[in-house]
Amino acid sequence: FRRVLFRSILFMLTGLLVNAQPTEILTAEKFISQVKQFHPVARQAGIGVDIAKSALLAARGEFDPAFEMNYQDKTINGVNYYRYTNPEIKIPTVTGVTVKGGFENTNGSFPNPELTTGAAGYLGLEVPLLKGLLIDKQRAALRQAKIFSNLSRQEQDRIVNDLLLESYDAYWQWAGAHQLMNIYGRYLDVAEKRMELVKIAFRNGDRSVADTIEAFTQLQYIRMLQSDASLLYNNRYYGLSLFLWDSTQKPYLLSDVYMPDTASFLNLPVLPGLATLEQSLNENHPALRIYRSKQEILEVDRRLKFQNLLPSVIVGANILSRDYFNDMSLASQYLENNYKFGLTIKSPLFFRQGRGEYRMAKLKLLDNSLQLSFKSWELQNKIRQYYRETDLYRDQIKTAVAIRDNNAFLLKTEELRLNQGESSLFLINARQNKLLETDQKLIELRVKYFKSYYSTYWSAGQLK
């Protein structure tokens, strides 16, 4: 009795010392916040957004004003044939019209008769009438870059949505393993105390050898379970650490002072209505928004490819002026005598390239539309599947809690009967093992519940 009392006091003191060590609760919210802030995958998704912004800036650069300079000088045997200088500024616009202005300075003994001798200024327009009137490569690239900028944000949301589902799963797996290890630890303490009491009773002649073997076997069995639980916790611990990175982009292991939020682990959150989640899916799921953005990009490409079915007709008109824009006027009399007009027509005879590219553009649109429909239906079914799973796990947990309470009552009753000499250690262990199995099943069900719970939000695209 003194030995048992000494061991009990020693165990209590050890427990007090362990509990005196500083511990800190790592809640799921703190863990997820750190993942979103520092995890490299989340940061890489942000880099994709920055790349899209750079692409948009480059596309806008196609409409920057451009300066051109053409200078030619030819001299043979001391005779200056010609000297030609032509600085020019071109301003492309998003309407497809190009505004240009400049001046020409031509002199020499044999200048090009098409050029005006001396200095001349001009201001004019280039306008496509058929091909390129509504859209051209530059305007298509700009529109697609704008859509791609939005698409990159949707891609970022999709990546984060997937990452957070894995993170939540790792956290609750860790919490479940921690809870299981603690439960086995309590059972192990009970088995060790019972073993000591049986030994004392055996020495006093109140218990048989079989009882000591029964108690020792139960102790060995729980030790084996405790070892398996420790191994599981070790695996879950390192699985959780895969998501832990600091502000310097270095991974680290979670400190031993941290423990999961076991209180939240026991409280089951409730999902909103299924109709609300389905509506959120259709409006906000990043995967569906990605397909819609791709549809817009492909529609721009289809409109561009349609231009290849049209002949190219470009009209150029310039107002001319002697010297450097002296006395330039928009009066009709001035325009009738000082202009340069040009018309360029170019058209393939069979349009085979245009027809082929346009057909491919329409097929890509159809393909993306089918993928969008399939993805939408797939996600709707996933929401219904995980929503139903969550409800079923909640019901199973309620049933398991009731079974656990009944097993605990039966174990307590069996212990009272044992004290009265009406039961055996074998029945006590059998009752205890049933209770232990129920505790283990409860933890497994809670882990599955949280996984289904967050998978439902993941299916709706709401993990951000």
Side-chain angles (χ1 to χ4, degrees), residues 19 45 75 86 88 92 106 130 134 161 189 209 215 246 249 254 284 310 320 323-324 342 412 436:
N19 293 330
T75 300
N86 177 213
E88 182 183 72
T106 307
L130 292 177
L134 299 178
N161 191 47
D189 293 338
V209 176
D246 60 20
Q249 284 297 282
L254 186 68
N284 302 315
L310 303 174
L320 304 180
D323 298 325
Y324 300 103
K412 186 176 181 180
L436 190 150

Side-chain angles (χ1 to χ4, degrees), residues 44-77:
Q44 286 173 351
I47 292 174
V49 175
D50 293 335
I51 292 175
K53 290 180 180 178
S54 300
L56 178 58
L57 179 63
R60 286 174 173 161
E62 292 290 334
F63 296 91
D64 288 345
F67 173 77
E68 296 182 10
M69 178 69 178
N70 184 8
Y71 174 79
Q72 299 181 34
D73 191 347
K74 180 178 180 180
T75 300
I76 299 179
N77 295 327

Side-chain angles (χ1 to χ4, degrees), residues 9-21:
I9 294 174
L10 181 62
F11 172 77
M12 292 174 61
L13 291 176
T14 304
L16 291 174
L17 290 174
V18 171
N19 293 330
Q21 294 179 357

Side-chain angles (χ1 to χ4, degrees), residues 20-231:
Q21 294 179 357
T23 59
E24 187 172 345
I25 302 298
L26 178 63
T27 63
E29 290 74 19
K30 289 181 181 178
F31 171 68
I32 293 300
S33 176
Q34 187 165 355
V35 170
K36 290 191 291 186
Q37 188 174 3
F38 299 122
H39 197 282
V41 172
R43 288 198 168 187
Q44 286 173 351
I47 292 174
V49 175
D50 293 335
I51 292 175
K53 290 180 180 178
S54 300
L56 178 58
L57 179 63
R60 286 174 173 161
E62 292 290 334
F63 296 91
D64 288 345
F67 173 77
E68 296 182 10
M69 178 69 178
N70 184 8
Y71 174 79
Q72 299 181 34
D73 191 347
K74 180 178 180 180
T75 300
I76 299 179
N77 295 327
V79 178
N80 180 249
Y81 276 58
Y82 61 84
R83 179 179 290 114
Y84 176 71
T85 306
N86 177 213
E88 182 183 72
I89 292 180
K90 286 187 177 181
I91 306 176
T93 66
V94 292
T95 61
V97 178
T98 300
V99 180
K100 64 179 182 178
F103 65 87
E104 297 176 326
N105 195 334
T106 307
N107 51 55
S109 301
F110 306 101
N112 189 338
E114 295 181 359
L115 301 175
T116 303
T117 305
Y122 61 91
L123 180 64
L125 303 173
E126 287 184 359
V127 182
L129 295 183
L130 292 177
K131 181 178 180 180
L133 176 62
L134 299 178
I135 192 171
D136 53 26
K137 289 184 178 180
Q138 289 78 13
R139 283 179 283 173
L142 179 59
R143 293 181 187 178
Q144 289 178 334
K146 290 179 179 178
I147 300 171
F148 184 74
S149 179
N150 188 34
L151 185 148
S152 65
R153 295 187 184 92
Q154 297 156 6
E155 183 67 23
Q156 181 185 26
D157 291 342
R158 186 194 64 80
I159 292 174
V160 172
N161 191 47
D162 294 344
L163 174 64
L164 294 189
L165 177 63
E166 297 177 6
S167 303
Y168 275 118
D169 183 47
Y171 179 86
W172 294 114
Q173 292 281 0
W174 173 61
H178 184 274
Q179 190 80 355
L180 185 64
M181 190 172 62
N182 287 343
I183 288 176
Y184 284 150
R186 292 198 295 269
Y187 279 100
L188 184 60
D189 293 338
V190 172
E192 289 176 346
K193 292 178 182 178
R194 183 171 291 153
M195 183 67 205
E196 291 297 328
L197 292 173
V198 171
K199 282 183 180 179
I200 294 173
F202 171 73
R203 294 191 190 99
N204 294 333
D206 296 331
R207 291 290 176 185
S208 64
V209 176
D211 287 335
T212 60
I213 296 175
E214 179 71 27
F216 181 71
T217 302
Q218 180 71 1
L219 177 62
Q220 294 289 80
Y221 174 67
I222 295 179
R223 280 177 178 169
M224 181 181 65
L225 293 178
Q226 172 72 358
S227 178
D228 289 341
S230 298
L231 179 61

